[in-house]
């Protein structure tokens, strides 16, 4: 009996460990891949964001929404296909662009909201087969190219919204209504059989990318219909991934393979389940001739790295033109990313989040990889310290070896390690113009000390309400307004203690500055900072007002840095820092930060 209990306990325990990493076997290729291509291409590409001389209506310039936004009849909409240059269109070029950009999968809008199928669909006449002569099947051409070049195929299918079918969901139904039976006719007549076609006629499909961004309880589609759809995928292609925009969250249905964040929404925290950000280089998904706010290569590259460092994927969109061309502003940046990945891909593919806090270091982001033989950290340097000394704070073990990922010889970089502080001496020249990667090798996964505040690149310690040790879960931090014109702050009404932990590698006297706002003339409020048994205190003084923005009648409380004096940190090691604030009865103190340097 005892043995059985122990085995059950063990089973439960191993399950807990496994469920920490909620990646099922099916999704392993996806989390290994990290980087993919989204392709928005369809009838709308022929309009380039304009219809009969008028720009796409709505302030959200999504070119693929043209039919709906500009109230176009579906029969007239397809005249846009006259602009397509079928001799030039070659999906293999998109696949090659993906490959050369270091992407491992592509996802094509097989059917977008306009309801038009980019394949030869027997289910609907609103499809390419019916509007091209000789017939074209872009899904087939893309699937073949993917197979040829070793890229996984993903297909976007707009299941919820369909502006073509008599009973599909179209937002005007909010006015005119639709019955559950009518919607189910659309579902059973178009969605299910088209999905059957896609999953039967094109070989292995890596994923179906559904698109519904509100909960099913708030719209016409039912949970049963969504489960029917998912069931069909599991039946026809058990290895095919399904994203959460099916309309079922991972929390509601753990069988969903990964979570899709909002459009252009990057990750904000580490997750144990697979997730992905869909992103554009400018704004629109489909080609829009007036798109202009192009993101830079380093912005895009950092988005990929940031997401990887939080266990997420990044799928970057191309909106090819009606002749198949990909805008230079997009292709050139993707190819630059590909070049970077051809040197540094090891830090992205198959890499994942490390245990330290996501913004532990101000110089960049960390990913990691564990193999049977060793454990590697990849330090992505976004901002190289001027003194070329890179600190890695929070790891107890000393590394085995440190080198630049771009260096084929793996020449060792000099470093020192004490306590939980590794200082790496970088070479005088940074090897990469975007992001250099430093590899730190350990024998096995090192232990961390959570919650230490690292040294900034300019050699100080920035102690915030948000990086305390221990973390103060119940603390209310008032958000910043207008990009920090009114900075984040904590309103202190009664005596309160804040505490932090730092590791000091350079002992000696250091200045202690505290930033706060106080709007009273009384001299009864006090604050004190205590380190290693020594306390320095100060009477809190009025910080006055300032003008938030000229001529806007916007007067705000002033937040000011106040120098408390110096404190000696006698030797290398860990220090606890405590800040005590004692506000007088008359007025609260609004605390912002402590700075030690
Ligand atoms: C939104 C839009 C759609 C676009 C998609 C990409 O759902 O409706 O046009 O395809 O996001 O993430």
């Amino acid at each position: 009996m005892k043995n059985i209990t122990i085995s059950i306990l063990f089973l439960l325990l191993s399950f807990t460990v496994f469920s920490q990493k909620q990646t099922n076997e099916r999704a392993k290729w996806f989390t290994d891949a990290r980087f993919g291509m989204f392709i928005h291409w369809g009838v709308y590409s022929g309009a380039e964001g304009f219809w009969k001389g008028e720009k796409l209506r709505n302030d959200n310039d999504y070119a693929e929404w043209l039919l709906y936004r500009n109230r176009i009849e579906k029969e007239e909409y397809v005249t846009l296909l006259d602009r397509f240059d079928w001799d030039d269109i070659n999906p293999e070029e998109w696949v090659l662009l993906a490959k050369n950009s270091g992407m491992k999968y592509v996802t094509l809008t097989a059917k977008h909201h306009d309801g038009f199928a980019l394949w030869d669909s027997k289910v609907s006449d609103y499809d390419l087969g019916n509007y091209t002569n000789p017939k074209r099947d872009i899904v087939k051409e893309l699937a073949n190219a993917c197979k040829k070049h070793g890229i996984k195929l993903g297909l976007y299918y707009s299941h919820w919204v369909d502006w073509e079918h008599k009973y599909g969901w179209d937002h005007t139904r909010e006015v005119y209504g639709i019955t559950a039976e009518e919607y189910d006719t659309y579902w059973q007549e178009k969605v299910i059989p088209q999905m059957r076609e896609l999953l039967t006629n094109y070989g292995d499909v890596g994923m179906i990318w559904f698109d519904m961004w509100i909960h099913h309880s708030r719209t016409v589609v039912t949970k049963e219909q969504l489960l029917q759809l998912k069931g069909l995928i599991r039946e026809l292609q058990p290895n095919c991934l399904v994203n959460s925009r099916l309309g079922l969250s991972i929390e509601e249905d753990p069988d969903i393979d990964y979570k899709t964040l909002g459009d252009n929404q990057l990750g904000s925290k580490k997750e144990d389940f697979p997730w992905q950000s869909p992103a554009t280089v400018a704004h629109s998904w489909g080609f829009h001739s007036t798109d202009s706010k192009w993101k830079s290569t380093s912005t895009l590259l950092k988005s990929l790295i940031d997401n990887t460092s939080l266990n997420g994927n990044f799928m970057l969109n191309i909106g090819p033109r009606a002749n198949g061309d990909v805008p230079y502003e997009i292709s050139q940046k993707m190819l630059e990313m590909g070049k970077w990945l051809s040197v540094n891909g090891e830090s992205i593919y198959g890499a994942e989040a490390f245990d330290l806090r996501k913004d532990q270091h101000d110089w960049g982001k960390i990913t990691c990889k564990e193999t049977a033989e060793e454990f590697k950290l990849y330090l992505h340097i976004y901002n190289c310290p001027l003194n070329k000394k890179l600190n890695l704070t929070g790891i107890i073990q000393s590394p085995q070896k440190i080198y630049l990922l771009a260096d084929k010889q793996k020449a060792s970089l000099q470093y020192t390690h004490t306590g939980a502080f590794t200082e790496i001496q970088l070479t005088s020249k940074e090897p990469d113009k975007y992001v250099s990667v430093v590899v730190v090798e350990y024998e096995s996964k090192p232990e961390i000390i959570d919650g230490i505040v690292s040294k900034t690149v300019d050699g100080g310690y920035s102690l915030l309400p948000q990086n305390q040790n221990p973390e103060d879960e119940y603390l209310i931090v008032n958000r910043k307004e207008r990009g920090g014109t009114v900075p984040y702050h904590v309103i202190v009404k009664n005596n309160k203690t804040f505490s932090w932990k730092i590791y000091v590698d350079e002992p000696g006297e250091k200045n202690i500055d505290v930033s706060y706002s106080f709007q009273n003339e009384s001299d009864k409020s006090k604050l004190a900072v205590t380190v290693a048994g020594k306390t320095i205190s100060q009477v809190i003084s009025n910080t006055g007002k300032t003008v938030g923005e000229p001529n806007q009648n916007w007067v705000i409380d002033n937040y000011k840095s106040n120098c408390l004096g110096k404190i000696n940190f006698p030797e290398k090691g860990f220090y606890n820092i405590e800040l005590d604030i004692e506000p007088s009865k008359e007025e609260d103190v609004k605390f912002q930060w402590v700075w030690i340097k």
Side-chain angles (χ1 to χ4, degrees):
M1 183 65 196
K2 198 173 160 206
N3 272 347
I4 297 175
T5 324
I6 291 174
S7 341
I8 292 174
L9 247 170
F10 182 73
L11 251 167
L12 274 175
L13 213 78
S14 36
F15 179 72
T16 324
V17 173
F18 178 74
S19 69
Q20 287 281 299
K21 284 245 158 272
Q22 294 162 20
T23 307
N24 57 38
E25 267 306 303
R26 218 175 14 226
K28 175 86 172 62
W29 71 263
F30 176 76
T31 50
D32 279 352
R34 292 294 178 218
F35 192 28
M37 174 185 273
F38 215 169
I39 307 173
H40 275 71
W41 190 78
V43 180
Y44 46 81
S45 310
E48 313 198 324
F50 285 81
W51 175 252
K52 298 189 178 174
E54 180 191 354
K55 199 178 80 60
L56 182 96
R57 296 176 194 166
N58 199 269
D59 52 6
N60 185 356
D61 270 332
Y62 278 2
E64 67 282 4
W65 274 69
L66 184 83
L67 184 152
Y68 181 82
R69 295 292 188 208
N70 289 41
R71 313 308 307 146
I72 305 170
E73 293 299 330
K74 62 180 184 188
E75 294 77 16
E76 199 182 4
Y77 174 70
V78 282
T79 59
L80 285 167
L81 288 166
D82 297 346
R83 294 195 76 188
F84 282 58
D85 194 339
W86 293 105
D87 292 337
D88 274 357
I89 294 161
N90 180 7
E92 186 175 4
E93 284 170 11
W94 306 335
V95 172
L96 283 171
L97 175 62
K99 194 175 174 118
N100 294 329
S101 303
M103 295 158 163
K104 304 293 186 194
Y105 54 98
V106 299
T107 304
L108 169 76
T109 48
K111 186 196 88 171
H112 205 270
H113 305 334
D114 60 8
F116 190 90
L118 293 187
W119 70 100
D120 186 12
S121 174
K122 302 287 171 275
V123 175
S124 160
D125 287 341
Y126 214 53
D127 73 326
L128 261 196
N130 200 34
Y131 284 92
T132 46
N133 188 10
K135 277 185 198 292
R136 292 290 287 262
D137 184 328
I138 293 297
V139 174
K140 180 151 278 156
E141 292 175 33
L142 189 81
N144 291 344
C146 280
K147 209 170 289 157
K148 181 168 162 195
H149 298 289
I151 296 287
K152 285 263 186 190
L153 172 71
L155 297 173
Y156 170 114
Y157 186 87
S158 177
H159 60 317
W160 169 47
V161 175
D162 187 302
W163 301 323
E164 179 269 335
H165 194 278
K166 197 166 158 214
Y167 298 126
W169 178 256
D170 168 321
H171 288 77
T172 55
R173 307 234 185 246
E174 288 179 18
V175 184
Y176 299 108
I178 185 171
T179 65
E181 292 70 37
E182 285 170 337
Y183 189 70
D184 197 53
T185 306
Y186 154 70
W187 198 264
Q188 308 304 341
E189 259 181 16
K190 191 168 181 183
V191 178
I192 297 294
Q194 281 201 327
M195 193 53 64
R196 198 176 275 282
E197 285 184 331
L198 289 174
L199 293 164
T200 314
N201 302 336
Y202 301 96
D204 284 348
V205 178
M207 64 168 121
I208 299 289
W209 206 96
F210 292 109
D211 199 359
M212 177 164 103
W213 52 92
I214 58 175
H215 192 258
H216 53 79
S217 59
R218 293 173 51 215
T219 184
V220 61
V221 69
T222 63
K223 186 165 180 176
E224 289 65 42
Q225 286 165 332
L226 298 177
L227 290 174
Q228 179 195 11
L229 191 50
K230 184 161 68 72
L232 183 74
I233 298 170
R234 296 287 183 250
E235 175 202 324
L236 295 176
Q237 294 219 20
N239 292 327
C240 177
L241 306 185
V242 176
N243 69 334
S244 61
R245 280 207 210 169
L246 172 67
L248 293 174
S249 64
I250 289 203
E251 292 78 16
E252 188 171 358
D253 180 356
D255 183 47
I256 292 294
D257 297 296
Y258 70 91
K259 177 176 179 168
T260 300
L261 303 196
D263 296 354
N264 279 307
Q265 184 190 10
L266 298 175
S268 58
K269 60 179 197 304
K270 274 180 231 168
E271 301 287 8
D272 279 335
F273 50 76
W275 58 273
Q276 180 182 60
S277 303
T280 47
V281 179
H283 176 75
S284 180
W285 301 88
F287 180 77
H288 194 311
S289 57
T290 63
D291 235 350
S292 61
K293 290 191 181 121
W294 303 105
K295 290 166 200 162
S296 70
T297 305
S298 64
T299 300
L300 296 167
L301 191 56
K302 285 171 190 169
S303 301
L304 169 66
I305 299 166
D306 286 359
N307 275 12
T308 306
S309 77
L310 301 173
N311 285 334
N313 281 33
F314 188 59
M315 182 162 74
L316 191 56
N317 181 68
I318 60 169
R321 302 189 64 189
N323 61 2
D325 282 0
V326 176
Y328 179 70
E329 287 280 16
I330 296 179
S331 59
Q332 168 247 347
K333 290 175 179 100
M334 287 185 171
L335 291 170
E336 280 285 285
M337 292 174 82
K339 260 194 245 161
W340 184 89
L341 283 160
S342 69
V343 176
N344 299 293
E346 188 191 312
S347 73
I348 300 294
Y349 307 126
E352 54 184 24
F354 185 53
D355 300 344
L356 289 171
R357 232 192 2 242
K358 77 177 174 100
D359 43 10
Q360 171 85 11
H361 300 98
D362 64 346
W363 46 251
K365 301 287 177 197
I366 303 178
T367 63
C368 68
K369 220 181 251 183
E370 189 166 13
T371 63
E373 301 81 46
E374 69 208 338
F375 186 90
K376 288 181 186 175
L377 287 184
Y378 301 97
L379 317 184
H380 296 81
I381 308 173
Y382 291 1
N383 181 29
C384 184
L386 286 167
N387 64 2
K388 300 283 174 191
K389 289 181 163 65
L390 191 74
N391 85 76
L392 177 61
T393 302
I395 299 175
I396 299 169
Q397 278 84 8
S398 179
Q400 301 271 94
K401 186 175 166 94
I402 303 184
Y403 53 91
L404 284 162
L405 187 52
D407 178 5
K408 289 206 177 69
Q409 265 67 52
K410 298 189 179 178
S412 292
L413 295 177
Q414 299 291 313
Y415 66 91
T416 55
H417 179 88
T418 50
F421 183 86
T422 311
E423 186 175 79
I424 304 161
Q425 181 65 55
L426 297 173
T427 48
S428 53
K429 223 172 136 267
E430 268 190 88
D432 197 276
K433 55 185 185 288
Y434 296 116
V435 177
S436 298
V437 184
V438 168
V439 187
V440 186
E441 285 188 2
Y442 299 88
E443 230 162 57
S444 58
K445 187 169 184 180
E447 284 165 70
I448 63 149
I449 297 193
D450 212 4
I452 330 186
V453 177
S454 308
K455 220 157 73 153
T456 61
V457 280
D458 57 338
Y461 299 88
S462 171
L463 313 182
L464 314 172
Q466 303 91 322
N467 62 13
Q468 289 186 77
N469 186 345
E471 226 175 278
D472 189 344
E473 280 181 63
Y474 302 105
L475 187 72
I476 298 171
V477 182
N478 288 60
R479 295 233 192 114
K480 55 188 180 186
E481 282 174 52
R482 292 191 51 188
T485 313
V486 176
Y488 66 82
H489 58 268
V490 172
I491 299 176
V492 183
K493 291 181 188 297
N494 303 306
N495 293 4
K496 173 140 187 77
T497 303
F498 295 85
S499 35
W500 296 271
K501 193 181 187 112
I502 63 173
Y503 183 85
V504 170
D505 62 304
E506 288 173 300
E509 299 250 294
K510 293 182 192 295
N511 282 318
I512 313 283
D513 297 326
V514 182
S515 178
Y516 59 81
S517 167
F518 185 63
Q519 298 298 315
N520 196 280
E521 294 303 335
S522 105
D523 59 0
K524 290 194 207 98
S525 299
K526 279 195 230 90
L527 60 81
V529 169
T530 306
V531 182
K534 297 222 171 61
T535 301
I536 39 175
S537 56
Q538 199 178 60
V539 169
I540 294 183
S541 56
N542 189 310
T543 55
K545 300 273 180 196
T546 184
V547 168
E549 203 60 54
N551 294 319
Q552 289 189 8
N553 221 356
W554 194 33
V555 176
I556 55 176
D557 296 346
N558 200 20
Y559 285 78
K560 228 174 120 210
S561 167
N562 293 271
C563 181
L564 257 74
K566 286 186 187 300
I567 285 194
N568 189 32
F569 292 76
E571 55 203 33
K572 281 188 184 190
F574 294 103
Y575 289 86
N576 292 317
I577 322 285
E578 279 196 352
L579 166 73
D580 290 297
I581 300 184
E582 293 176 28
S584 66
K585 297 230 162 28
E586 295 85 26
E587 182 77 33
D588 316 330
V589 176
K590 292 176 187 151
F591 164 62
Q592 194 193 4
W593 47 248
V594 176
W595 173 243
I596 301 180
K597 192 180 171 184

